[in-house]
Amino acid sequence: MLIIGSHVSFNSKDQLLGSLQEALGYKANTFMFYTGAPQNTTRSKINDNLTKEALEIMKNNNIDYSKVIVHAPYIINLANNKEDDKYDFSIRFLKEEVRRCEKLGIQYLVLHPGSHVGLGVEVGISNIVNALNIILRDTSVVILLETMAGKGTEIGRNFSELKRIIDGMEKKDNIGVCIDTCHLNDSGYDISKFDQVLDEFDKTIGINYIKCVHVNDSKNGLSSHKDRHENIGFGTIGFDNLIQVIYHKKLEDIPKILETPWIEQKPPYKYEIEMIRTKKFDPEVKNKIIC
Ligand code: FE
Ligand code: FE
Ligand code: ZN
């Protein structure tokens, strides 16, 4: 079954219930959210009544909550230990995020592995491994390492870097991967040859580690290392190649999440989900979103 949704908001008042309602408005059957603003540390207390109410509605709408995704805040950088207090902060804050996922009953937490900021890939990876082993010690939450575009000193720009992190994990059941089509393209994996990309993933890491797919077109070309998302069908990857990914037999039942840009303050997701469900690209879709 196609499990498709998008990034949605999470506000302190309506919390999971608000996120779910936004997703239902897009005719999605899954979604992803940050539990607070990704660039700061302000977090609301989770209200269990709102969670319960949301769970009930999900049941009635055949939404598999075990596949709903939380994205970790991007102020966290587990690769950089240049300053002890910053490194400790990242570990502490991600630990708190894991606790919030537990409270919400969320299984999957997507994480950008981190940027080594000049320390080198080797040191960066060992910092990430050390941090994740601490964070995952006493939880059932599964952290999904995202494939990165390779902007700056980002770690996770190829499958072998992710593999090295996974190899260092004490609890392999608590680690997985989220592949992002824009990031793959920008880091040099050709989505028009997706079977080959998946094969390489399988040989390097193992396809069973993929638990989430971020579906984005890219504003930039192969190996550009830029990380700028484009709306589905309007970028360098193109609609047909993204459809191949979304409907790939080997990725069936894995949640597909859109993180495409809003157009003039309007979310594109309802329209993009419809194009994906009908497998038909509408070149006029941007005008319809604005209307
Ligand atoms: Fe991400
Ligand atoms: Fe992503
Ligand atoms: Zn991105």
Side-chain angles (χ1 to χ4, degrees):
M1 193 186 64
L2 176 64
I3 304 175
I4 181 91
S6 71
H7 172 253
V8 296
S9 60
F10 179 94
N11 64 58
S12 53
K13 190 175 142 275
D14 300 316
Q15 301 190 359
L16 189 66
L17 185 59
S19 305
L20 169 64
Q21 278 158 346
E22 185 180 338
L24 290 173
Y26 302 148
K27 298 222 165 33
N29 57 359
T30 194
F31 52 99
M32 178 178 83
F33 60 96
Y34 290 99
T35 72
Q39 72 281 11
N40 69 42
T41 58
T42 318
R43 293 293 179 269
S44 52
K45 200 171 170 294
I46 301 296
N47 177 335
D48 288 337
N49 290 327
L50 291 168
T51 306
K52 242 196 233 156
E53 206 180 318
L55 286 173
E56 199 55 43
I57 298 171
M58 279 187 246
K59 228 195 254 160
N60 298 332
N61 284 278
N62 289 318
I63 292 180
D64 182 353
Y65 189 49
S66 73
K67 291 177 180 174
V68 170
I69 311 282
V70 165
H71 197 305
Y74 48 71
I75 43 167
I76 291 172
N77 183 3
L78 300 181
N80 177 11
N81 71 340
K82 275 188 184 169
E83 290 145 276
D84 282 344
D85 52 335
K86 275 195 193 156
Y87 184 59
D88 291 345
F89 159 79
S90 282
I91 294 175
R92 217 173 340 107
F93 197 45
L94 187 54
K95 223 176 193 173
E96 272 172 44
E97 202 61 26
V98 164
R99 293 283 104 80
R100 286 168 71 75
C101 287
E102 287 170 352
K103 184 99 166 89
L104 285 161
I106 285 281
Q107 174 174 216
Y108 293 133
L109 175 59
V110 168
L111 174 75
H112 295 177
S115 295
H116 66 70
V117 296
L119 294 168
V121 174
E122 206 63 48
V123 174
I125 286 177
S126 103
N127 288 338
I128 294 166
V129 165
N130 169 63
L132 285 179
N133 277 329
I134 295 169
I135 290 156
L136 291 172
R137 204 154 281 161
D138 52 355
T139 184
S140 58
V141 169
V142 177
I143 287 185
L144 306 183
L145 304 168
E146 184 163 350
T147 61
M148 302 309 290
K151 200 175 52 182
T153 61
E154 274 173 354
I155 290 173
R157 64 197 158 136
N158 57 48
F159 301 153
S160 73
E161 287 184 2
L162 294 181
K163 166 70 172 163
R164 283 155 72 191
I165 298 171
I166 293 168
D167 279 345
M169 291 296 101
E170 286 160 11
K171 293 169 70 193
K172 300 278 193 282
D173 289 345
N174 289 83
I175 199 84
V177 174
C178 168
I179 60 172
D180 183 311
T181 53
C182 168
H183 300 174
L184 286 176
N185 171 77
D186 290 14
S187 69
Y189 292 100
D190 188 348
I191 302 296
S192 73
K193 301 189 176 84
F194 190 62
D195 278 324
Q196 282 177 33
V197 174
L198 263 193
D199 261 3
E200 189 180 335
F201 187 98
D202 195 33
K203 282 193 192 109
T204 314
I205 298 176
I207 201 164
N208 293 336
Y209 276 92
I210 301 176
K211 304 295 183 194
C212 179
V213 180
H214 285 171
V215 181
N216 303 301
D217 216 324
S218 175
K219 285 193 195 294
N220 296 285
L222 192 66
S223 309
S224 57
H225 304 296
K226 285 278 208 281
D227 190 5
R228 291 190 62 216
H229 301 185
E230 179 55 282
N231 292 97
I232 302 304
F234 289 91
T236 59
I237 301 173
F239 189 76
D240 293 342
N241 287 327
L242 290 170
I243 287 289
Q244 294 298 318
V245 174
I246 294 164
Y247 288 95
H248 201 286
K249 262 254 153 289
K250 290 181 177 166
L251 300 178
E252 227 185 340
D253 299 324
I254 288 169
K256 317 289 182 332
I257 302 288
L258 298 162
E259 305 173 294
T260 49
W262 286 33
I263 298 165
E264 295 188 15
Q265 280 99 56
K266 297 230 169 77
Y269 308 121
K270 187 181 137 201
Y271 300 88
E272 291 184 325
I273 287 170
E274 196 194 320
M275 290 197 303
I276 288 165
R277 286 194 192 283
T278 58
K279 301 186 189 175
K280 221 179 152 313
F281 178 59
D282 176 3
E284 292 303 312
V285 69
K286 286 192 177 182
N287 295 326
K288 289 178 186 161
I289 293 163
I290 297 163
C291 283

